[in-house]
Amino acid sequence: MVVPSPAGPGPTGRRPRRWVPKRVLVTRAAAEHPHAQEIIRRCTEAGVADIELLPGDRLTGLRRETERETYAAAKSTLAVVVAPPSTRKPQPIPPSADWRIDLARGCPAHCQYCYLAGSLSGPPITRVYANLDEVLDGIGSHAGQGTVTSNTVERGHEGTTFELSCYTDPLGIEHVTGSLSEAIRRVGAGAYGSGVQLRFTTKFDDVETLLGLDHQRRTRVRFSVNAEEVARRFDGGTAPMPARLAALRSMAQAGYRVGLTIAPVMPLPGWQVGYGGLLDAVAAAVAGVPDLDLTAEIITHRFTPSSKEVLLGWYPQTRLEMDEDARSQKRSKFGGVKYVYPKAVMAQMRAWFHAELDARLPQARLLYWT
Ligand code: SF4
């Protein structure tokens, strides 16, 4: 269920759309953590009537009669669980950051290309971690280490970077979890030293509660943006593009380092006009912001055999092109296959983005294209 926020207008003057889970499940082990109580408080305040304290730690009964019903029930369920040690161990996450830290797994939105499709198994509920202290301890234990930004010539000034959005959209669930603001506050306060930086990417605009945090510019928020037509066709349950750009401006004005995750780039007919319009809209959104620190990360659309299968189960009517014959194969070092656009198409898009970013948005520093 997505309802207008009762918290008042956001940066666009409109109320941000907020996801309110229909059902919240709290495992027995999670309930022992103070952060679980904070999540329960937030969910109650948001109007969730169905909050269930489970007698054990297993989440069961998530399947319904049909695939469709299972998907719908899962996307409206928030589970509060404990992250096991294997999940808490920071993992390298090139080309974005030195390390991945997960505050949650799963996302309530409905993007038809969702990059989580191939990496999360089972019904797509959102699991948020109650043992936040232990999850964030990974920042302290890995500060100063890493090969993507730490001690590199190009990005060493970012310090040791920790990506929070590999398995979730942390802003999309922030109003019912509070995990993101707690992480930003602790890193801002120097709890893990002054050489660490958080980063996360989002398709939401509900930034009001982050604006006043003492972040010390140790967090970079990137807004995941796209050509209007791509977003209109394939994003679901997220903030509209103008709202994301207004939120980008608000965060930049509040002193945060900001960025664009332009993804997934798709060469739909007339794509140059669509992406040109996007870059112009971003330029207008950041005009006049003092001390702007703006990066860009550009990711073309790709799929794997398993993500395609999952996505077609979730969105059987999708018009998203996932035609293996129209793509090139890319093999990972572990032997997995990804389907990317053919070399000539990639080269054309890459050249266009390099030139147009320079021309239309010279303030943006391109971190990578993939
Ligand atoms: S916002 Fe991101 S994580 Fe959530 S459904 Fe869309 S693509 Fe997936």
Side-chain angles (χ1 to χ4, degrees), residues 70-148:
T70 299
Y71 173 86
K75 282 282 183 177
S76 55
T77 300
L78 179 72
V80 188
V81 301
V82 170
S86 57
T87 301
R88 297 200 311 264
K89 189 162 178 260
Q91 300 294 330
I93 185 73
S96 166
D98 285 322
W99 305 105
R100 189 187 95 209
I101 293 268
D102 301 328
L103 303 176
R105 275 189 172 218
C107 169
H110 308 274
C111 303
Q112 293 172 31
Y113 50 77
C114 180
Y115 64 95
L116 300 182
S119 42
L120 300 181
S121 55
I125 64 167
T126 300
R127 292 171 169 82
V128 59
Y129 297 132
N131 49 337
L132 184 63
D133 294 342
E134 291 176 326
V135 167
L136 296 180
D137 278 349
I139 301 177
S141 62
H142 286 66
Q145 305 172 40
T147 56
V148 177

Side-chain angles (χ1 to χ4, degrees), residues 83-269:
S86 57
T87 301
R88 297 200 311 264
K89 189 162 178 260
Q91 300 294 330
I93 185 73
S96 166
D98 285 322
W99 305 105
R100 189 187 95 209
I101 293 268
D102 301 328
L103 303 176
R105 275 189 172 218
C107 169
H110 308 274
C111 303
Q112 293 172 31
Y113 50 77
C114 180
Y115 64 95
L116 300 182
S119 42
L120 300 181
S121 55
I125 64 167
T126 300
R127 292 171 169 82
V128 59
Y129 297 132
N131 49 337
L132 184 63
D133 294 342
E134 291 176 326
V135 167
L136 296 180
D137 278 349
I139 301 177
S141 62
H142 286 66
Q145 305 172 40
T147 56
V148 177
T149 60
S150 289
N151 310 312
T152 63
V153 175
E154 299 81 21
R155 294 180 60 188
H157 59 279
E158 294 177 49
T160 307
T161 43
F162 294 87
E163 174 65 64
L164 300 180
S165 44
C166 281
Y167 282 111
T168 189
D169 186 314
L171 185 60
I173 54 174
E174 171 60 10
H175 57 290
V176 283
T177 68
S179 306
L180 179 61
S181 45
E182 189 55 34
I184 294 172
R185 202 179 293 118
R186 288 190 198 183
V187 168
Y192 313 102
S194 58
V196 300
Q197 191 177 111
L198 297 178
R199 54 202 331 269
F200 67 93
T201 191
T202 184
K203 288 189 171 73
F204 288 83
D205 66 329
D206 191 5
V207 294
E208 208 61 32
T209 56
L210 306 187
L211 297 178
L213 298 179
D214 186 8
H215 54 79
Q216 293 289 322
R217 279 172 88 78
R218 293 192 191 123
T219 294
R220 184 182 300 279
V221 49
R222 296 106 77 214
F223 287 85
S224 176
V225 293
N226 218 317
E228 271 289 348
E229 192 187 349
V230 177
R232 206 173 38 244
R233 275 199 202 183
F234 301 119
D235 289 7
T238 58
M241 203 56 61
R244 291 182 218 173
L245 297 186
L248 165 72
R249 179 174 181 80
S250 296
M251 289 295 273
Q253 282 181 317
Y256 282 90
R257 300 181 197 279
V258 293
L260 306 172
T261 306
I262 306 179
V265 171
M266 297 182 196
L268 299 186

